[in-house]
Amino acid sequence: MTKLTKDFLWGGSIAAHQLEGAWQEDGKGPAIMDFATSGSVTTPREYTKTTEAGRHYPSHEGIDFYHRYKEDIKLFGEMGFKSLRISIDWSRIYPNGDDVEPNQAGIDFYQNVVNELLRYNIEPIITLYHFELPINLVTKYDSWKNCQVIDFYLKFVETMVNALKGKVKYWVTFNEMNHIDPQTEASDMFTYILSGLKYSELEGNKKEILAVIGYNMTLAGVRATKLIHQLDPTSHVGCVFGITPKYPVNCDPINVMNAFKDMDRDFYQIDAMCNGEFPKYKLREYADMDIDIGMTEEDKQAFAEGKLDYIGMNYYMTEVTRYEGGEIDEESLFGGVQNPYIEKSKWGWGIDPIGLRYLLNYTYRRYGLPIIICENGLGAYDEVGADGSVHDDYRIDYLQKHLSELKRAVEEDKVDCFGYLMWGPIDLVSATTGEMRKRYGFIYVNKHDDGTGDLARSPKDSFYWYKNLIETNGEEL
């Protein structure tokens, strides 16, 4: 491999709860992100058990993709997208999660979206779980603490694979489930968006609860992989992980060792889903913590039979691992330390293009599986000129630098990377803060955090830059 293949999947990624809206239309049930309020970089989102008067819940309208998907997909088609990764909101298909029959209107919607993508020769990549858990599975079954939820998930998976078989080649079982681990103290944000449970409100042995949630989701992933392969042998099944590479603060061997362990912790689920068994080192860690995840012989067989075809990676930043004996100037999003050698975004995320090349190399050499970058992008304040233009040179600069490192990983390091999906190609609600002003898109959406705006779409400068990049298959960065 000396350059990007001619069928390299250029495109973008979106998630249902961040842009669809229509949260109570056509039989959709309430899902966990429908109870997440708006927030900001200084004011965390809150996760309420019911919708409360006077609070703003961004998922309720999103950017109204539910009604405007044809308009948006047409714009992606104009850019020349080769692929679009979307998520299917479980609560549109099974409103309560445990329903006997699916909601046909929800199935129809996603069939229509996929048909529209294919109309523009855009390859659909379908994520089956992107923080969209029916709230009933939390209140009635205790979420992923209960292994019965695995069976409900598999029923949902089977329904959607049968509904889209022959039109969808690429499936993603889960998005970023690696953000729950008993080795680190979890945040309310990550435990909630993944499971609908708040870490601060967990009762009992919190470390064991996190271990069981992570294990059950991993087990659900390998069982879903086998199921999808059975339902459609031509399918390619992957899982998407959000990895933040960790650097040591210096070359002191203890700091290097701590950085290795800190980064490697995020890979145990990838090990489990690629190597054919739940990793023994993780089981030993659990034993040291007196944690019993309840693994059965049937589970072991599921890991052996449900190995992934490819790995999806979400990459935004790197961090420096926490260390002893030094002043920590500024903490980063995932509990690490800000790197003084790199720039930061307006939301405090470290901008490190070389970190993308590092992650691609680290992952490919460990597993030898094809990789697709499923999320990478810059959240920024965009200003609209008097003529309606948005000159987002900073976004173009960010993407140029990251994609240059991706190309080096492929061309110089011989990594098998088959696609790049920018997050998110159209402005949408931020998952971490619930804001609209934290904009990622090539396409500007006229909506603001105070509720104003007519939702009109308009291209930014980066729209035309990315279009040219796709036309030249990355040769004109």
Side-chain angles (χ1 to χ4, degrees):
M1 185 180 294
T2 57
K3 62 181 181 179
L4 302 181
T5 60
K6 63 181 180 180
D7 55 354
F8 189 83
L9 293 179
W10 294 102
S13 284
I14 57 178
H17 71 95
Q18 291 172 261
L19 85 170
E20 280 183 5
W23 79 292
Q24 290 183 311
E25 287 190 40
D26 295 333
K28 180 189 177 303
I32 57 177
M33 295 306 287
D34 293 326
F35 301 93
T37 68
S38 58
S40 70
V41 68
T42 55
T43 305
R45 303 186 79 173
E46 294 184 31
Y47 307 100
T48 61
K49 294 181 179 178
T50 59
T51 53
E52 299 171 359
R55 309 293 292 275
H56 177 53
Y57 298 88
S59 72
H60 293 187
E61 183 184 39
I63 60 166
D64 197 31
F65 179 80
Y66 189 79
H67 298 109
R68 298 169 182 252
Y69 69 90
K70 290 185 178 181
E71 173 188 356
D72 295 339
I73 291 172
K74 181 180 179 182
L75 288 167
F76 299 146
E78 287 179 16
M79 294 179 72
F81 270 30
K82 305 297 183 184
S83 183
L84 183 73
R85 174 179 167 238
I86 68 172
S87 72
I88 293 180
D89 191 327
W90 187 346
S91 66
R92 281 204 193 280
I93 310 305
Y94 289 98
N96 300 295
D98 62 353
D99 310 82
V100 175
E101 297 294 334
N103 172 35
Q104 188 59 47
I107 295 173
D108 292 344
F109 170 68
Y110 291 109
Q111 287 177 326
N112 291 337
V113 170
V114 166
N115 288 338
E116 196 69 13
L117 290 170
L118 295 175
R119 179 183 168 198
Y120 290 93
N121 296 313
I122 299 174
E123 188 82 60
I125 298 178
I126 304 298
T127 303
L128 292 159
Y129 190 93
H130 196 137
F131 315 154
E132 292 128 1
L133 180 69
I135 196 71
N136 179 61
L137 296 183
V138 179
T139 57
K140 187 175 178 181
Y141 297 93
D142 261 346
S143 185
W144 291 99
K145 290 163 61 177
N146 187 338
C147 61
Q148 192 175 354
V149 171
I150 298 175
D151 295 323
F152 295 137
Y153 170 73
L154 293 173
K155 182 178 179 180
F156 158 64
V157 170
E158 182 173 8
T159 298
M160 291 316 303
V161 173
N162 283 332
L164 298 173
K165 186 163 56 177
K167 296 182 178 180
V168 173
K169 299 177 186 175
Y170 294 96
W171 298 91
V172 172
T173 54
F174 283 87
N175 180 77
E176 293 191 355
M177 62 177 171
N178 58 286
H179 291 322
I180 289 183
D181 184 80
Q183 288 281 9
T184 57
E185 184 169 311
S187 66
D188 277 352
M189 178 183 75
F190 284 121
T191 54
Y192 186 85
I193 64 178
L194 281 165
S195 69
L197 301 169
K198 294 168 67 173
Y199 181 80
S200 61
E201 296 177 357
L202 296 179
E203 297 180 357
N205 185 337
K206 293 188 178 185
K207 289 184 179 297
E208 183 165 52
I209 292 170
L210 294 182
V212 169
I213 290 172
Y215 177 75
N216 283 341
M217 294 178 86
T218 310
L219 179 60
V222 293
R223 289 182 62 186
T225 300
K226 179 183 177 182
L227 175 61
I228 296 169
H229 284 149
Q230 290 174 331
L231 294 170
D232 183 2
T234 67
S235 63
H236 303 276
V237 186
C239 189
V240 171
F241 304 90
I243 304 294
T244 299
K246 312 289 185 175
Y247 299 148
V249 67
N250 55 34
C251 55
D252 183 333
I254 189 62
N255 287 329
V256 175
M257 188 67 200
N258 287 342
F260 165 76
K261 291 173 67 177
D262 197 15
M263 178 169 168
D264 197 68
R265 186 175 294 120
D266 262 344
F267 281 81
Y268 86 91
Q269 289 166 314
I270 316 181
D271 288 346
M273 302 178 86
C274 295
N275 295 340
E277 64 175 1
F278 196 81
K280 293 182 177 67
Y281 67 82
K282 203 66 181 176
L283 295 174
R284 291 173 185 140
E285 288 179 11
Y286 291 163
D288 285 347
M289 293 186 282
D290 293 322
I291 290 174
D292 180 12
I293 55 173
M295 179 184 285
T296 66
E297 290 300 317
E298 184 181 9
D299 293 353
K300 294 178 182 179
Q301 184 177 354
F303 284 107
E305 297 175 345
K307 292 191 285 187
L308 298 177
D309 301 315
Y310 69 91
I311 297 170
M313 281 287 173
N314 294 346
Y315 172 80
Y316 290 97
M317 70 188 92
T318 56
E319 294 177 338
V320 173
T321 297
R322 281 183 174 275
Y323 56 96
E324 298 297 327
E327 292 293 326
I328 296 175
D329 294 326
E330 190 175 0
E331 188 174 279
S332 190
L333 179 67
F334 292 96
V337 181
Q338 289 284 5
N339 188 335
Y341 293 96
I342 60 177
E343 297 178 67
K344 291 187 302 181
S345 76
K346 298 295 184 182
W347 274 264
W349 293 23
I351 299 175
D352 181 6
I354 294 175
L356 175 59
R357 182 182 179 190
Y358 173 53
L359 179 61
L360 282 165
N361 271 275
Y362 186 96
T363 306
Y364 184 62
R365 291 168 189 244
R366 182 162 174 162
Y367 302 104
L369 288 177
I371 301 170
I372 181 170
I373 297 302
C374 285
E375 292 183 25
N376 172 244
L378 177 68
Y381 299 106
D382 289 335
E383 293 187 7
V384 182
D387 61 353
S389 61
V390 176
H391 302 304
D392 56 342
D393 292 346
Y394 40 86
R395 183 168 291 110
I396 294 171
D397 179 69
Y398 176 98
L399 294 174
Q400 281 177 325
K401 290 175 178 176
H402 281 78
L403 287 168
S404 293
E405 294 300 328
L406 182 151
K407 287 187 67 180
R408 292 185 71 185
V410 172
E411 296 171 1
E412 297 179 28
D413 309 330
K414 313 309 177 188
V415 172
D416 184 359
C417 179
F418 66 95
Y420 175 86
L421 308 176
M422 178 266 201
W423 180 271
I426 185 169
D427 292 344
L428 38 65
V429 176
S430 167
T432 54
T433 65
E435 296 172 285
M436 274 300 302
R437 66 174 179 162
K438 185 183 180 184
R439 298 179 182 273
Y440 284 87
F442 300 121
I443 301 164
Y444 185 86
V445 177
N446 184 27
K447 182 183 177 182
H448 308 283
D449 291 327
D450 63 2
T452 60
D454 62 3
L455 295 171
R457 276 69 160 150
S458 57
K460 306 175 189 178
D461 286 356
S462 58
F463 178 102
Y464 303 102
W465 175 83
Y466 198 61
K467 177 180 180 179
N468 182 68
L469 184 73
I470 296 172
E471 287 176 351
T472 61
N473 199 34
E475 292 302 306
E476 294 186 10
L477 274 171

